[in-house]
Amino acid sequence: MTERAVCVIGTGLIGGSLMRTAGKAGRTVWGTSDSPDTAEEARADGFDVTTDTDAALRRAAEDDALVVLAVPLPALPGVLRRVDAVAPTCRLTDTVSVKVAVADHVARYAPSARFVGGHPMAGTAESGWAAGQAGLFTGAAWVVAADDGLDLDVWADVAELAWACGARVVPAAADEHDLAVARVSHLPHLLAAVLAAVGAAGEDDLPLALAASSFADGTRVAGTRPELVLAMCEGNRDALLGAVDDALGRLGAMRGALASTGGLAATVNAGYAGRQRWAAARDPEAVRVRRSRLALPALREVGRRGDAVVGWTE
Amino acid sequence: MTERAVCVIGTGLIGGSLMRTAGKAGRTVWGTSDSPDTAEEARADGFDVTTDTDAALRRAAEDDALVVLAVPLPALPGVLRRVDAVAPTCRLTDTVSVKVAVADHVARYAPSARFVGGHPMAGTAESGWAAGQAGLFTGAAWVVAADDGLDLDVWADVAELAWACGARVVPAAADEHDLAVARVSHLPHLLAAVLAAVGAAGEDDLPLALAASSFADGTRVAGTRPELVLAMCEGNRDALLGAVDDALGRLGAMRGALASTGGLAATVNAGYAGRQRWAAARDPEAVRVRRSRLALPALREVGRRGDAVVGWTE
């Protein structure tokens, strides 16, 4: 297994956790931050972080390092222009929570990069370098894009980085990923926002005084920094519209049943069944594949089954 | 302070926890269960539980005990008929999660009972005697109804029971309680059900494989036994319709903004502000009142401010 060096662009929660984790796993890691204060904070913690993105990318080109873009979607075009200028054919991945929009940006701004998208499904409501932690990815799903035409050698690099961070690899086509996260990640943020707004809508504080764990859990992610939620949800507009329409249709049907017969059994039973199905999916099959015979259609099937790739066969 | 005996009708999660807690607090406690198996299980744990509801109520009438109805709403009429037959003027409270419907049932089936409604805001996704625990109410809000015309002496009994269980008393009119819990307790259950159904709606398991903490938290209460959710939500139909319509209106406006401008800032910012307001309300003022001068309008104002009554003044 190649112990490839890693260049992390962006040292927020995800990038900062990745530097800590990959460093502990023995990788050579360096990173960049836009903010001189953050770079200094990270250096004080013993990490090789600069504000000079070009210098970091130049070193990546020289070392054939894997470059990881860990910035929010709106910041990508600017970073990709620097990749194209300084390290045009580098091995490139990302950690952004949408995959079609990132692939479109890469095709437009850094078309020669050997790009394989990624998305570690880990996070907290916190953000910034100080919130990062070495164990953030342990046991998490890490999507590695499996669209036809990508460089299988880079796919293997990204998978090995995910494994080195303690994650399991879920292969998925970019569009299938975006549809899935619209339902299980972006819609939860929007429903949490709606619930928090409804709970706080009244004039007096009685509702909030009576809010117990169902409200606390249901609104937890509404406490995430708004700009992070907007970056991920707005970047997945098409897939998200479908998920929102599904939710609106179910809520509308429930409203009709409540107003007419007063019955909520269809809604509540479907939710119970969905939660049970989710609980049953908590134990994915751990698949191993042969590094020399990677086949993208077979990888995509692993992800569709809800299973994960955890390493190479001998 | 009177250490009044407590007769608990129904020994599920709430009734079972109440027996354990009030017993530890030194009260004389007995209870009833419809199920011979549950009664035997409770007796094996050292509690005085019978299946003979009439006998338990007769003893309550003799001892002037506080009778606590800890059964689901649909079971109330049958129990109230026995109260009216055996202990018609008993001191009576309940733990049901809606208050207008319970008051209507009491007025119809046990009109002579000295009734003051209650609702301890505690629970887990578990249910049944075995799920009960002595600490369940510690630090929780316990609504005690504060409608005009009720017996202030019984109000004091119910408040003292709540304090003995480690809870703080939030006084509220029955209709104001129902509107509040529709927003912060019943709506969260319905949104969780919708989210769980949307997440599990696809043909393949990729969405569930990618579901992380935002989905896990947002759907947690969808794992509650459906009959419990139905009993509480369907019993609060009128108030719940208003809360559902508020949520539908906000979701619809968000859908429109996403489809037209692609912007979600209004939704996400309102949710963030709501969650912040909820967090700020976590520290209610602890109010003490004079037992001999209880005034229901003033008590209701305490609840509307989001504050709580924690004991008597000297």
Side-chain angles (χ1 to χ4, degrees):
Chain A
M1 194 184 284
T2 320
E3 297 291 8
R4 198 169 298 279
V6 182
C7 168
V8 181
I9 310 294
T11 54
L13 172 68
I14 299 295
S17 296
L18 180 56
M19 289 195 72
R20 292 172 173 91
T21 313
K24 274 203 173 177
R27 300 293 188 98
T28 302
V29 185
W30 63 95
T32 72
S33 170
D34 264 358
S35 149
D37 287 351
T38 300
E40 194 167 327
E41 197 184 345
R43 280 196 301 271
D45 288 342
F47 291 87
D48 184 357
V49 173
T50 173
T51 55
D52 187 342
T53 303
D54 279 10
L57 288 170
R58 205 172 296 119
R59 182 173 164 197
E62 284 160 9
D63 293 5
D64 197 22
L66 178 63
V67 176
V68 183
L69 307 176
V71 297
L73 185 65
L76 269 189
V79 171
L80 286 167
R81 283 195 188 93
R82 300 319 308 154
V83 169
D84 194 50
V86 177
T89 63
C90 70
R91 299 165 181 267
L92 187 67
T93 188
D94 74 300
T95 64
V96 179
S97 63
V98 293
K99 297 272 60 75
V100 170
V102 172
D104 288 349
H105 281 327
V106 173
R108 177 167 179 190
Y109 296 107
S112 305
R114 288 172 286 163
F115 175 65
V116 174
H119 180 204
M121 307 290 299
T124 71
E126 305 301 311
S127 54
W129 169 264
Q133 44 181 290
L136 189 69
F137 309 104
T138 304
W142 190 312
V143 174
V144 181
D147 297 276
D148 291 331
L150 55 75
D151 184 323
L152 291 173
D153 192 43
V154 179
W155 196 94
D157 283 351
V158 179
E160 288 177 354
L161 177 63
W163 298 330
C165 292
R168 58 184 192 280
V169 168
V170 178
D175 57 348
E176 293 180 25
H177 165 276
D178 286 3
L179 288 167
V181 295
R183 287 174 178 269
V184 299
S185 175
H186 302 168
L187 182 63
H189 279 83
L190 297 181
L191 289 182
V194 166
L195 179 58
V198 171
E203 277 179 25
D204 61 54
D205 275 347
L206 181 64
L208 295 176
L210 301 188
S213 60
S214 64
F215 187 83
D217 286 0
T219 61
R220 184 186 58 85
V221 292
T224 313
R225 273 205 300 144
E227 56 268 41
L228 297 178
V229 179
L230 291 174
M232 79 182 179
C233 290
E234 292 178 355
N236 198 20
R237 177 174 171 177
D238 293 342
L240 189 51
L241 271 173
V244 169
D245 283 344
D246 192 348
L248 269 170
R250 289 169 194 270
L251 262 179
M254 178 193 76
R255 201 272 173 210
L258 185 63
S260 58
T261 67
L264 293 166
T267 299
V268 171
N269 289 334
Y272 185 75
R275 174 76 183 185
Q276 300 296 106
R277 191 175 160 198
W278 167 81
R282 288 303 80 196
D283 189 22
E285 193 187 331
V287 175
R288 288 178 179 270
V289 295
R290 193 174 297 273
R291 193 187 200 286
S292 58
R293 292 198 192 161
L294 288 176
L296 293 163
L299 288 171
R300 291 195 293 267
E301 281 307 317
V302 171
R304 286 187 193 126
R305 287 200 309 269
D307 294 331
V309 184
V310 300
W312 307 128
T313 50
E314 295 305 305
Chain B
M1 194 183 287
T2 318
E3 296 292 7
R4 199 170 297 279
V6 183
C7 168
V8 181
I9 311 293
T11 54
L13 172 68
I14 299 295
S17 296
L18 180 56
M19 288 194 73
R20 293 171 172 90
T21 312
K24 274 203 174 177
R27 299 293 187 100
T28 301
V29 185
W30 62 95
T32 73
S33 170
D34 263 356
S35 151
D37 287 353
T38 300
E40 196 168 325
E41 196 184 345
R43 279 195 301 270
D45 289 343
F47 291 87
D48 184 357
V49 174
T50 174
T51 56
D52 187 343
T53 303
D54 278 11
L57 288 171
R58 206 172 295 123
R59 181 174 165 198
E62 284 159 10
D63 292 6
D64 197 23
L66 178 62
V67 176
V68 184
L69 307 176
V71 297
L73 184 65
L76 269 190
V79 172
L80 286 168
R81 283 195 189 93
R82 299 321 308 155
V83 169
D84 195 49
V86 178
T89 63
C90 71
R91 298 166 182 266
L92 186 67
T93 186
D94 74 301
T95 64
V96 179
S97 63
V98 293
K99 297 272 63 74
V100 170
V102 172
D104 288 348
H105 281 328
V106 172
R108 177 166 176 190
Y109 296 106
S112 304
R114 287 172 286 164
F115 175 66
V116 174
H119 179 204
M121 307 292 299
T124 71
E126 307 301 312
S127 53
W129 170 264
Q133 44 182 289
L136 189 69
F137 309 105
T138 305
W142 189 312
V143 174
V144 181
D147 298 276
D148 290 331
L150 55 74
D151 184 324
L152 291 172
D153 192 43
V154 179
W155 196 93
D157 282 350
V158 179
E160 287 177 356
L161 178 63
W163 296 331
C165 292
R168 59 185 191 280
V169 168
V170 179
D175 58 347
E176 292 181 26
H177 164 277
D178 286 3
L179 288 166
V181 295
R183 289 175 177 266
V184 298
S185 175
H186 302 167
L187 183 63
H189 278 84
L190 297 180
L191 290 182
V194 165
L195 179 59
V198 171
E203 278 179 24
D204 61 54
D205 276 347
L206 181 64
L208 295 176
L210 301 188
S213 60
S214 65
F215 187 82
D217 286 359
T219 62
R220 184 186 59 82
V221 292
T224 312
R225 273 204 302 144
E227 57 267 41
L228 298 178
V229 179
L230 291 174
M232 79 182 177
C233 290
E234 292 178 356
N236 198 20
R237 179 174 169 176
D238 292 342
L240 189 50
L241 272 173
V244 169
D245 283 344
D246 192 349
L248 269 170
R250 289 168 194 271
L251 262 179
M254 178 194 75
R255 201 273 174 208
L258 185 63
S260 57
T261 67
L264 292 166
T267 299
V268 171
N269 288 336
Y272 185 75
R275 174 81 182 180
Q276 299 296 108
R277 189 174 161 198
W278 167 81
R282 287 304 80 196
D283 189 21
E285 192 186 332
V287 176
R288 287 177 179 271
V289 295
R290 192 174 297 274
R291 195 187 197 286
S292 57
R293 293 200 192 160
L294 289 175
L296 292 163
L299 287 171
R300 292 195 294 268
E301 281 307 317
V302 171
R304 287 188 193 125
R305 288 200 310 270
D307 293 332
V309 183
V310 299
W312 307 129
T313 50
E314 296 305 305

